[in-house]
Amino acid sequence: MTADLDARLGRWRKRVERELDGCLPPVTREPGRLHSAQRYSVLAPGKRVRPALVYATAETLGVPLERVDGAACAVELIHAYSLVHDDLPAMDDDDLRRGRPTCHRAFDEATAILAGDSLQALAFSVLAHHPHGPEPAVRMQLVATLADASGAAGMAGGQALDLAAEGRNLGLADLELIHALKTGALIRASVRMAALCAPGLDDAGREALERFAGAIGLAFQVQDDILDVEGDESLTGKPVGSDEARGLPTYPALAGLDGARRRVAGLTAEATAALATHGWEGSPLAGLAAWLLGRRH
Ligand code: GRG
């Protein structure tokens, strides 16, 4: 990673963490246990990939970062809620997340369900009320974009398909659909929300960003599947091979490790070509994409 990108990532991470801290209710306010669980889950050390995509898109398009702070926060709140619910006994029944006990282990199951529910609601509240957000018509588009990306036609729908696929034989097209919804939808929404905040962006620019985000959204998950096979456990935070052992459909299982690597390379090339159509190949967004797709954790 270049020193420049490293510094940017650090700045974006700090920025969104300060914003998240500011929008989460204090533990001193009742119900304190629920507020503690919200804070525990959101402020645990994560990569903050989705907020970084919001900020990188904004910087690439010349949008002031305070205009997208609400969107950066909102997408991370949805992501945090999805992790809390994904870890529940009814779903993956995981004990560890981000190197710490999962929310239902640190608190209890009911509190974890409520923490996820209330984080989801908070995401939309932040989009509606953030003091430096865009004008009302754009806020409406942000709310619609994030709702579509999170719901049955997006992340939650992808999770449902993923759960239904456990132990079944899937084709690559089915797996790509699951990945595009479960993981890709929030990645695409991150880029799209920042683009919505750029008043001067024309349709061709929006389409180029859509193509870029579609490609990196899928590539991010295929890369995650590759790391599950060959990753360093101390960096990924989960045992190598854990997805396959649980009967979860993965890209390397269907296409082989080389096939999965080739797919990431092809998608990376697609993403780069989309940015190049608008002279964005040296942009913060291009740098972030290169880092995301070359990541080891
Ligand atoms: C419960 C509605 C609902 C959805 C759950 C996101 C998700 C859907 C489940 C999480 C399980 C998982 C491994 C999903 C694949 C997407 C992914 C790589 C999530 C982890 O995101 P990172 O790597 O995590 O950005 P950090 O902790 O860095 O934020």
Side-chain angles (χ1 to χ4, degrees), residues 270-294:
E270 258 179 57
T272 310
L275 292 183
T277 59
H278 283 68
W280 292 323
E281 57 271 46
S283 65
L285 199 47
L288 177 61
W291 172 74
L292 272 180
L293 304 181

Side-chain angles (χ1 to χ4, degrees), residues 64-294:
L65 294 191
E66 54 273 20
R67 196 167 156 86
V68 298
D69 277 333
C73 237
V75 73
E76 185 66 14
L77 289 168
I78 294 285
H79 172 58
Y81 123 69
S82 80
L83 298 180
V84 171
H85 280 192
D86 184 65
D87 291 335
L88 286 168
M91 296 209 200
D92 277 1
D93 196 9
D94 275 319
D95 294 333
L96 281 179
R97 167 70 64 186
R98 293 173 164 172
R100 301 178 179 183
T102 46
C103 186
H104 65 280
R105 291 269 172 242
F107 294 84
D108 56 78
E109 216 175 308
T111 303
I113 291 170
L114 291 171
D117 290 342
S118 52
L119 290 173
Q120 179 170 202
L122 182 60
F124 293 102
S125 171
V126 169
L127 285 181
H129 298 300
H130 195 281
H132 306 296
E135 47 288 4
V138 177
R139 286 186 196 245
M140 286 284 289
Q141 292 177 306
L142 296 181
V143 167
T145 299
L146 193 58
D148 292 346
S150 317
M155 180 186 72
Q159 176 79 346
L161 292 175
D162 199 9
L163 291 172
E166 264 187 55
R168 282 185 32 221
N169 287 327
L170 284 189
L172 270 185
D174 297 321
L175 182 63
E176 289 207 357
L177 176 65
I178 293 173
H179 284 356
L181 295 177
K182 180 177 159 181
T183 316
L186 278 196
I187 304 253
R188 291 194 300 277
S190 304
V191 173
R192 192 177 295 168
M193 285 197 291
L196 284 169
C197 293
L201 184 65
D202 61 14
D203 287 348
R206 274 179 218 289
E207 276 161 29
L209 289 174
E210 290 290 330
R211 282 201 306 282
F212 164 81
I216 58 154
L218 180 54
F220 180 75
Q221 181 61 60
V222 178
Q223 180 66 11
D224 204 66
D225 286 357
I226 294 173
L227 290 177
D228 184 64
V229 178
E230 59 169 22
D232 177 340
E233 197 168 317
S234 67
L235 293 176
T236 61
K238 60 179 186 176
V240 171
S242 61
D243 290 347
E244 216 175 335
R246 280 158 47 192
L248 296 174
T250 70
Y251 214 95
L254 291 187
L257 204 45
D258 279 347
R261 286 199 198 103
R262 275 197 302 277
R263 188 70 176 125
V264 171
L267 289 163
T268 307
E270 258 179 57
T272 310
L275 292 183
T277 59
H278 283 68
W280 292 323
E281 57 271 46
S283 65
L285 199 47
L288 177 61
W291 172 74
L292 272 180
L293 304 181

Side-chain angles (χ1 to χ4, degrees), residues 42-68:
V42 174
L43 300 176
K47 294 187 289 298
R48 315 297 182 202
V49 164
R50 295 146 194 85
L53 278 164
V54 174
Y55 288 132
T57 307
E59 285 195 2
T60 298
L61 300 176
V63 176
L65 294 191
E66 54 273 20
R67 196 167 156 86
V68 298

